[in-house]
């Protein structure tokens, strides 16, 4: 059962929380990159690890019993734990989505060392992760959440790590099914094409 | 251009590095979970953040100029930066792959708060990320690396966070194309089906 958490926080409180937790998440993102790329000796790693464990223990002094979920405040969603766009998820690149005038969705973002598959290039599954989210967002709205039914990806060439762009839009809607298409691109053009069918879940019909 | 790094480290040195960096990565994975779930006050967050930034600065004292790449030692690959299986990538769940007698590949793993899409459930794109990797691994061997050409995913139901299983195998190979199928499952059965075509890259033909 998929259950959203209604918090009814004020706009001011949401902004305050954003200011507290956004920078923390950014710090952990930097640490992830440093963890992958460091070449320091074992004794320095041990000191860094002790600092990290101390921070973890501090943050765990008071914590949610489970995952973050999706909070709703003042009618707006707070998908802050999301692994693609989450303000509080250090795994998220993060991708910041924009809604175009035609209803489509687009984003410009940067992928570094944490997202590498073939040397110097984006892991094919990371491209799938991001395109699934971007197409799903294009297919959805606040009133009509839709989840992935099927998605197909075609890799035209390997995507280099660095600055990237993704976009998606709805092709058509038939009952509970919404068809969306989109792509991932670097400065030289499209690298991965995607098409999917997104379904209105039973609890939202 | 995809370039592997040949390091020719001894088996002993690879084991030593595993012992140094494996625990560091595990510590950062714990921190990621704590960052998403913490409910401590702003002043405690600030102290934790200072500790994290100190650890990052320490690790960056000496670091690779770019991403980790894929290292090769004694004929064995070290894809330690990989976002699905990487020993040094805190984003990786990690998935530990096993090769079955029939040549197929399988893994049991746990997904927590960092991989949440719909409340309490795995982000559809995370399922795609993992299945892309598992199918790609099934389609490849040390002598025959293969990259994703196309992949299609069918979501039978939402996958709960927790203990999961994935597996994949080759259906057939035609020239540079290898066809693979697989699935993701929880204790109650299959949740996502996948099929893909994996291509031998030009540099490996």
């Amino acid at each position: 059962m998929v259950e959203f958490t209604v918090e009814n926080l004020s706009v001011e409180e949401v902004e305050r929380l954003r200011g507290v937790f956004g920078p923390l998440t950014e710090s952990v993102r930097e640490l992830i990159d440093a963890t992958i790329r460091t070449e320091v000796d074992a004794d320095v790693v041990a000191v860094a690890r002790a600092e990290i464990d101390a921070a973890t223990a501090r943050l765990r002094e008071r914590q949610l019993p489970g995952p973050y979920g999706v909070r709703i405040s003042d009618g707006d969603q707070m998908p802050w734990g999301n692994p693609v766009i989450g303000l509080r998820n250090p795994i998220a690149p993060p991708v910041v989505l924009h809604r175009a005038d035609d209803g489509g969705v687009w984003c410009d973002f940067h992928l570094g060392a944490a997202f590498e598959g073939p040397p110097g290039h984006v892991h094919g599954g990371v491209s799938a992760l991001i395109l699934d989210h971007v197409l799903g967002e294009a297919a959805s709205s606040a009133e009509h959440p839709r989840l992935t039914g099927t998605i197909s990806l075609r890799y035209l060439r390997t995507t280099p790590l660095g600055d990237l762009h993704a976009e998606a839009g709805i092709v058509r809607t038939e009952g509970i099914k919404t068809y969306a298409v989109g792509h991932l691109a670097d400065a030289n053009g499209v690298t991965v094409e995607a098409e999917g069918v997104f379904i209105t879940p039973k609890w939202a019909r």
Side-chain angles (χ1 to χ4, degrees), chain A:
Chain A
M1 184 57 196
V2 173
E3 292 192 64
F4 293 78
T5 306
V6 179
E7 290 205 307
N8 286 328
L9 303 176
S10 67
V11 173
E12 292 73 25
E13 178 62 3
V14 171
E15 273 314 298
R16 191 189 69 79
L17 292 171
R18 188 184 293 273
V20 171
F21 292 109
L24 171 66
T25 310
E26 271 307 323
S27 284
V28 181
R29 284 190 188 116
E30 280 295 311
L31 176 63
I32 291 169
D33 183 82
T35 298
I36 296 168
R37 294 169 54 199
T38 190
E39 292 193 292
V40 297
D41 294 332
D43 55 338
V44 182
V45 169
V47 176
R49 201 179 154 221
E51 286 165 332
I52 294 162
D53 290 345
T56 300
R58 213 177 285 285
L59 295 173
R60 288 209 192 283
E61 278 168 17
R62 201 166 77 240
Q63 66 176 5
L64 297 166
Y68 188 82
V70 177
R71 316 297 181 88
I72 299 176
S73 279
D74 274 354
D76 207 11
Q77 290 196 11
M78 294 163 64
W80 286 6
N82 189 286
V84 178
I85 60 169
L87 176 86
R88 288 191 51 169
N89 192 336
I91 283 186
V95 165
V96 179
L97 292 164
H98 305 276
R99 186 68 72 165
D101 289 340
D102 64 0
V105 157
W106 62 272
C107 51
D108 291 319
F109 54 97
H110 182 92
L111 295 185
F115 303 97
E116 185 182 42
H121 293 79
V122 179
H123 190 294
V126 169
S127 302
L129 165 63
I130 292 171
L131 283 168
D132 172 80
H133 192 92
V134 174
L135 267 70
E137 195 83 18
S140 300
S141 65
E143 305 81 49
H144 298 100
R146 295 190 174 100
L147 302 180
T148 318
T150 63
I151 188 167
S152 296
L153 301 128
R154 196 157 72 96
Y155 295 79
L156 308 184
R157 57 186 167 90
T158 46
T159 305
L161 291 173
D163 292 326
L164 299 168
H165 170 90
E167 58 180 77
I170 292 178
V171 178
R172 65 182 187 283
T173 295
E174 294 171 5
I176 61 164
K177 293 184 179 179
T178 295
Y179 296 79
V181 299
H183 65 252
L184 178 65
D186 67 4
N188 296 316
V190 176
T191 60
V192 186
E193 294 173 341
E195 57 180 64
V197 182
F198 295 82
I199 311 286
T200 308
K202 281 203 187 91
W203 47 265
R205 285 176 202 168

